[in-house]
Amino acid sequence: MDRSSSVVVPGQATVVETGLHARVLDHLGTAICGGEFPAGTVLNIDDLVDRYAVSRSVVREVLRVLAAMGLIETRRRVGVLIRQANVWNVFDPRVIRWRLASSARMAQLRSITELRTAVEPHAAWLAAERVGHDDASDLVGLAAKMWAAGKAGDEARFLHLDIEFHRRVLLASGNEMFVKLQELVAEVLTGRHHYHLMPHHPHEQALRLHADVAQAIQRRDGERARAAMVQIMEQAFDEMKQLWERSGEPERP
């Protein structure tokens, strides 16, 4: 029996269960996305109980979540089977996080940057058409704070502001489907920071381009906002290309 889940603590039982569930989900999800369990592997529930020292109920709940993400499926007379990567829900932020923690890191960075390049410039263009006056002013102020944090080398604050900047551009677009991509953008920016895949001091051009996007949106200049955001994406590609070349890691799995 999983001892920690069997202890009854008033008001804390759910917290304990949630903690166990999250731990096993992250470990198993990372193992699948990292190729430790390749496609076609059959998972045994009892083996997972022993591996993670948890109850069968915790393992079953984890497998239910992984099945909802498309990472596994249950087949009669076969068991729990790891599925091919091309059927995974690659838009799930947790799948992105696990892939960033695996050997597929560079491929994940590349694919999300390609997605961002297709979406965020148009989101900036829409924002220039639809943003409210106060929100536009806040965006300009946010870009100024990014400039200060970047110049000071405050990486943690810059990351927080960078995530918030791109979230607000997506939100200002007024497109509810674009807005849903904010979690993906947050995961990739956090991943680049966590794995030291961003410059310690952001390039001055990147800081200027974020200011250009904000100012163009405030001035209702959609084409300028789009062009500046395209340049931000292109610069991100250039930074990652240099990292791929230095690390020797493949761009694709």
Side-chain angles (χ1 to χ4, degrees):
M1 176 182 290
D2 178 358
R3 295 183 182 276
S4 58
S5 63
S6 65
V7 177
V8 178
V9 181
Q12 294 185 18
T14 301
V15 174
V16 172
E17 189 74 2
T18 300
L20 286 171
H21 173 269
R23 175 175 65 82
V24 177
L25 181 62
D26 274 340
H27 280 236
L28 187 53
T30 301
I32 294 171
C33 291
E36 183 178 344
F37 296 121
T41 300
V42 177
L43 298 179
N44 181 280
I45 290 179
D46 289 331
D47 289 344
L48 294 176
V49 167
D50 293 339
R51 177 187 177 104
Y52 295 111
V54 294
S55 64
R56 291 175 65 88
S57 62
V58 170
V59 170
R60 288 196 185 96
E61 176 60 19
V62 167
L63 294 177
R64 185 191 67 77
V65 174
L66 293 174
M69 296 178 183
L71 272 64
I72 64 170
E73 64 178 329
T74 301
R75 292 185 182 177
R76 291 186 60 186
R77 294 192 291 274
V78 174
V80 179
L81 194 68
I82 305 296
R83 304 182 73 191
Q84 296 287 341
N86 62 0
V87 298
W88 297 351
N89 178 7
V90 294
F91 285 92
D92 191 302
R94 291 165 295 187
V95 174
I96 292 169
R97 189 183 316 138
W98 297 333
R99 290 191 70 204
L100 288 173
S102 76
S103 60
R105 180 179 305 145
M106 293 302 178
Q108 177 68 98
L109 286 170
R110 184 182 184 91
S111 62
I112 289 193
T113 305
E114 289 173 347
L115 175 66
R116 293 181 64 195
T117 300
V119 171
E120 289 197 63
H122 193 65
W125 182 83
L126 287 173
E129 296 287 322
R130 299 171 175 174
V131 72
H133 177 75
D134 290 344
D135 289 338
S137 297
D138 289 345
L139 193 62
V140 172
L142 194 57
K145 292 176 183 178
M146 288 180 65
W147 183 284
K151 287 294 187 181
D154 189 340
E155 294 181 68
R157 179 162 173 75
F158 181 82
L159 172 65
H160 170 75
L161 294 169
D162 197 16
I163 291 172
E164 182 64 11
F165 182 90
H166 290 277
R167 185 188 75 82
R168 291 202 187 191
V169 171
L170 290 168
L171 185 62
S173 75
N175 183 303
E176 73 280 3
M177 298 189 77
F178 284 4
V179 172
K180 282 296 185 181
L181 297 177
Q182 63 180 291
E183 291 184 50
L184 282 69
V185 174
E187 286 294 343
V188 74
L189 291 175
T190 301
R192 287 189 65 193
H193 175 80
H194 179 75
Y195 295 107
H196 309 291
L197 300 174
M198 297 183 79
H200 177 64
H201 288 274
H203 297 301
E204 186 164 323
Q205 183 188 19
L207 297 173
R208 178 182 57 78
L209 287 170
H210 282 79
D212 286 348
V213 169
Q215 290 165 10
I217 288 174
Q218 186 182 47
R219 294 170 184 168
R220 308 288 180 179
D221 188 342
E223 289 305 323
R224 183 181 172 194
R226 186 208 301 269
M229 189 65 85
V230 167
Q231 286 184 270
I232 290 173
M233 297 298 107
E234 288 176 344
Q235 186 173 59
F237 260 124
D238 288 342
E239 289 171 356
M240 285 187 288
K241 184 177 180 180
Q242 294 172 20
L243 290 166
W244 292 326
E245 292 171 348
R246 288 201 302 268
S247 68
E249 290 189 56
E251 299 178 15
R252 295 289 183 190

